[in-house]
Amino acid sequence: MRVLHCITRMIVGGAQENTLFNCLDLAERYRDEVLLVTGPSIGAEGDLLSRMDTKSVRVNVIDPLRRNIHPKHDFKAYRALQEMIRTWKPDVVHTHSAKAGLLGRAAAWKSNVPAVIHTVHGAPFHPYQRAISRWFFIACERWAANRCHRLISVADAMTDLMVSAGVAPPEKFTTIYSGMDVEPFLRSETHRTEMRQQLGFKPDDVVFGKIARLFHLKGHEYVFAAARRVIEHVPTAKFLMVGDGLLRDAFEAQVAHSELAGRVVFTGLVSPSEIPKYLSAMDVLVHASLREGLARALPQALIAGKPAISFDIDGAREVVIHGATGCLVPACDVDRLAQAMIELGLSEDLRTTFGHEGRQRFTDRFRHETMTQRIRAEYERLLNPHASKGSSPKST
């Protein structure tokens, strides 16, 4: 089949990795023709397409397709998408992210594409917006939901959120967890000694890591606040911040002038292929984002055998099983966050038990091959409602 994927930008990020793995699997495992349409990858997050082998997938960049609302650019992007769909004639248009999801679904629906699907990686509306902004984005999502055949959520929590906002009825959704290459995470521990030496950590240091853009609503400030209490009880505690973003300078200055000076390492931008190595240097992953569909860092850490601590938001509770694979704490609760970090920081046995359980539960569930098989089955059900099963991948 011919599948056109559309996403606003291919920066280094979870939704982008999900999309690219899906495109590569369709092209290489199923021999589908795949066209990936995206806007320019602008920003400190980096360009994912330059970091992975994409030769099996055709990529078209539409320059006016940008994240920020701009009526003139948005109209140009819409017309460009319409023309691309008209000339390429895809069987499936699969959209991702808010802007590309809105424009892509509108263009595909107008062009009578047989199967139009949108993946909800994270809702564009959230409680931290102004009321008028939240209303606007909900209205946009309701409008766009009427212009696709199926909605895929990366977590059950995303479906619950969208349904409760009246975006679409529950029967229009299906949950398919975001896929990844799990093998490097299963082997990540082989890098531990080298990476800890490279990052300046001692063998007996307990390293709490966070993998996220240094950006608003990612919750780094809560981790730093909790860290100040953690070091009082776990003297060997160190902190590893993996990622880059516009708040990096502010956070580095804040740390340098606090009791955390000398305990926090900022890595800057890291390629997705290097994440397993950085996870190997950690003992615990701490995720304090205030909004996220299902952060890839959580299953990645668990598959690497590391326990996770997370704010209880969105899809986190679907992988961070409290008391089994890690600890869930209420959002913004620094006291509970510090308490969980101290508990795991003081118990190597607990860290090992939680990490082992996470690996057992989630390795197969988050393989990108599993994700693509399920997504392609959705395509086939829409294109041929009478088919009972999806196709199997062709041998390579």
Side-chain angles (χ1 to χ4, degrees):
M1 61 180 73
R2 293 166 72 86
V3 183
L4 187 154
H5 276 267
C6 183
I7 188 167
T8 306
R9 53 184 186 157
M10 285 300 291
I11 60 169
V12 177
Q16 291 75 17
E17 286 184 52
N18 167 301
T19 302
L20 189 53
F21 272 125
N22 193 192
C23 290
L24 294 172
D25 282 347
L26 290 170
E28 296 169 5
R29 293 171 59 82
Y30 295 89
R31 299 294 190 263
D32 293 328
E33 293 182 70
V34 181
L35 173 60
L36 173 58
V37 180
T38 180
S41 297
I42 299 171
E45 297 88 353
D47 179 10
L48 181 64
L49 294 177
S50 66
R51 297 166 183 267
M52 294 180 69
D53 183 359
T54 62
K55 62 179 179 292
S56 61
V57 174
R58 177 181 168 188
V59 179
N60 275 13
V61 177
I62 296 177
D63 189 72
L65 182 56
R66 306 293 179 98
R67 189 182 189 192
N68 294 331
I69 296 172
H70 190 297
K72 183 178 178 181
H73 289 166
D74 296 344
F75 181 70
K76 287 183 177 180
Y78 171 73
R79 293 299 298 270
L81 281 166
Q82 272 195 318
E83 179 62 18
M84 210 166 286
I85 291 169
R86 186 187 68 79
T87 56
W88 203 65
K89 295 181 173 58
D91 301 300
V92 178
V93 168
H94 187 159
T95 64
H96 311 260
S97 62
K99 177 65 74 66
L102 184 74
L103 300 179
R105 278 180 280 180
W109 199 256
K110 183 74 171 178
S111 303
N112 296 312
V113 173
V116 183
I117 292 179
H118 177 70
T119 290
V120 182
H121 298 277
F125 53 88
H126 55 84
Y128 307 98
Q129 290 169 315
R130 293 182 301 164
I132 187 65
S133 297
R134 180 178 169 82
W135 172 87
F136 173 76
F137 284 116
I138 290 175
C140 287
E141 287 300 312
R142 288 174 180 169
W143 184 86
N146 285 321
R147 286 157 180 79
C148 67
H149 300 98
R150 196 76 172 144
L151 291 159
I152 295 174
S153 297
V154 297
D156 291 336
M158 287 294 92
T159 297
D160 295 341
L161 179 62
M162 301 295 270
V163 170
S164 65
V167 169
E171 58 269 19
K172 196 162 188 172
F173 291 85
T174 188
T175 296
I176 301 177
Y177 287 118
S178 188
M180 62 192 71
D181 182 5
V182 302
E183 298 305 325
F185 296 97
L186 294 172
R187 300 190 302 267
S188 67
E189 205 63 8
T190 60
H191 303 287
R192 182 175 174 85
T193 300
E194 175 190 356
M195 287 302 297
R196 285 173 72 97
Q197 289 176 348
Q198 178 180 318
L199 293 165
F201 298 133
K202 297 176 182 177
D204 61 344
D205 283 342
V206 178
V207 179
F208 296 89
K210 179 168 172 57
I211 303 173
R213 288 185 296 144
L214 302 176
F215 200 70
H216 303 289
L217 301 181
K218 292 296 184 181
H220 292 83
E221 62 271 28
Y222 299 104
V223 177
F224 294 139
R228 294 186 182 94
R229 306 181 190 185
V230 171
I231 59 177
E232 298 175 5
H233 300 272
V234 187
T236 57
K238 298 291 177 63
F239 307 90
L240 178 61
M241 301 292 121
V242 180
D244 205 346
L246 60 85
L247 297 181
R248 180 176 177 180
D249 290 345
F251 285 144
E252 286 185 331
Q254 174 188 333
V255 166
H257 295 91
S258 75
E259 57 270 50
L260 296 177
R263 290 179 177 269
V264 182
V265 175
F266 293 88
T267 68
L269 187 64
V270 169
S271 170
S273 63
E274 297 294 300
I275 294 296
K277 295 181 181 180
Y278 285 90
L279 274 169
S280 75
M282 301 177 192
D283 295 290
V284 180
L285 180 84
V286 182
H287 183 69
S289 177
L290 298 180
R291 60 180 293 261
E292 203 98 38
L294 175 51
R296 292 170 78 79
L298 292 173
Q300 286 173 345
L302 295 170
I303 293 167
K306 309 294 181 178
I309 299 171
S310 176
F311 282 163
D312 188 4
I313 55 102
D314 298 336
R317 68 181 67 98
E318 295 171 39
V319 291
V320 182
I321 314 302
H322 190 74
T325 66
C327 303
L328 280 177
V329 300
C332 308
D333 192 330
V334 173
D335 290 338
R336 295 281 292 277
L337 180 61
Q339 181 182 340
M341 292 170 70
I342 292 167
E343 181 182 11
L344 284 176
L346 293 174
S347 177
E348 183 177 358
D349 288 344
L350 196 57
R351 297 196 298 268
T352 300
T353 299
F354 285 176
H356 176 76
E357 182 66 20
R359 171 175 286 185
Q360 292 294 111
R361 289 193 188 209
F362 299 115
T363 296
D364 288 336
R365 195 176 303 182
F366 282 89
R367 291 183 187 274
H368 65 84
E369 298 90 345
T370 302
M371 172 192 73
T372 300
Q373 183 180 36
R374 293 195 59 201
I375 288 175
R376 198 176 190 281
E378 291 295 329
Y379 298 167
E380 291 195 335
R381 273 191 281 272
L382 291 173
L383 295 173
N384 182 7
H386 304 293
S388 58
K389 296 181 180 180
S391 296
S392 297
K394 298 175 183 177
S395 59
T396 58

